[in-house]
Amino acid sequence: KAGVTQTPRYLIKTRGQQVTLSCSPISGHRSVSWYQQTPGQGLQFLFEYFSETQRNKGNFPGRFSGRQFSNSRSEMNVSTLELGDSALYLCASSLVGEHQETQYFGPGTRLLVL
Amino acid sequence: KQEVTQIPAALSVPEGENLVLNCSFTDSAIYNLQWFRQDPGKGLTSLLLIQSSQREQTSGRLNASLDKSSGRSTLYIAASQPGDSATYLCAVSLSGYSTLTFGKGTMLLVSP
């Protein structure tokens, strides 16, 4: 069974641009969560999608948005990039996103904002 | 607000040693606690998941315990190997859903 895949793996953008990251969950998984990882703040929850609906959202500005498609693939978008958005963005999938389920993480997308 | 703390931040041991990593959380109303491993520049791999009603879980050389009332968890690694070198993260689930709050991790180096 294929794992969680994320594309692209690396991105370099400049301040003010926008970026879209993609996450394909494990086949059959309907819940996708996104996390931002930085050296200073560690791993922080961005949002979670289930059945094309955002079910939970972390404490991030509105520049961060996401969506989920009918095949459970998810995208996240960051508009008006800032230097502080440089981070490793990780997505995780699980069957239905309940607390007792193991979360399976992708390899991440490393974003560098110049 | 739930805070998760991991001590120590870094640990270096010779191969073969048994070691303990610590995780503490401020709000005992958790649904579960998970331990993950992260290799440099990579994603996370789930190691153990302990439900709030459980006291411990074991997988191979790994054993994780949970004491909800005191807000503590420990990850015990027996007979450490160089391949165990990685950052170990603990995370708690505060709701019925999968949203996780993470600690900042313990960076482990096992020398041959």
Side-chain angles (χ1 to χ4, degrees), chain A residues 44-93:
Chain A
Q44 294 184 284
F45 171 72
L46 281 157
F47 27 65
E48 185 239 354
Y49 285 87
F50 176 74
S51 290
E52 302 178 64
T53 300
Q54 187 181 89
R55 192 161 57 177
N56 287 296
K57 188 177 191 307
N59 189 24
F60 278 82
R63 300 186 297 107
F64 292 81
S65 63
R67 59 179 175 168
Q68 186 179 37
F69 301 96
S70 58
N71 61 358
S72 295
R73 189 177 70 85
S74 178
E75 290 181 347
M76 67 163 282
N77 183 276
V78 188
S79 62
T80 319
L81 284 166
E82 301 177 359
L83 295 179
D85 297 334
S86 295
L88 181 65
Y89 290 88
L90 294 162
C91 79
S93 77

Side-chain angles (χ1 to χ4, degrees), chain B:
Chain B
K1 181 190 169 191
Q2 175 75 270
E3 291 187 5
V4 181
T5 304
Q6 292 188 245
I7 295 173
L11 181 63
S12 181
V13 300
E15 181 177 7
E17 274 204 8
N18 302 324
L19 56 100
V20 174
L21 308 182
N22 296 292
C23 173
S24 62
F25 44 95
T26 53
D27 186 345
S28 62
I30 64 169
Y31 280 73
N32 66 41
L33 183 143
Q34 297 185 53
W35 283 93
F36 292 89
R37 159 186 181 137
Q38 185 174 31
D39 292 284
K42 304 284 182 64
L44 278 63
T45 301
S46 178
L47 298 172
L48 290 164
L49 186 157
I50 311 176
Q51 301 296 345
S52 61
S53 58
Q54 297 174 319
R55 297 291 296 228
E56 66 178 332
Q57 281 284 346
T58 298
S59 176
R61 294 182 294 108
L62 305 179
N63 175 276
S65 67
L66 174 64
D67 184 342
K68 257 186 61 172
S69 60
S70 67
R72 294 179 187 277
S73 175
T74 61
L75 178 66
Y76 176 82
I77 302 177
S80 58
Q81 303 170 358
D84 295 330
S85 299
T87 296
Y88 290 81
L89 296 141
C90 75
V92 297
S93 176
L94 300 175
S95 73
Y97 298 119
S98 56
T99 305
L100 296 172
T101 301
F102 282 86
K104 292 196 174 179
T106 294
M107 188 182 302
L108 173 65
L109 176 63
V110 182
S111 305

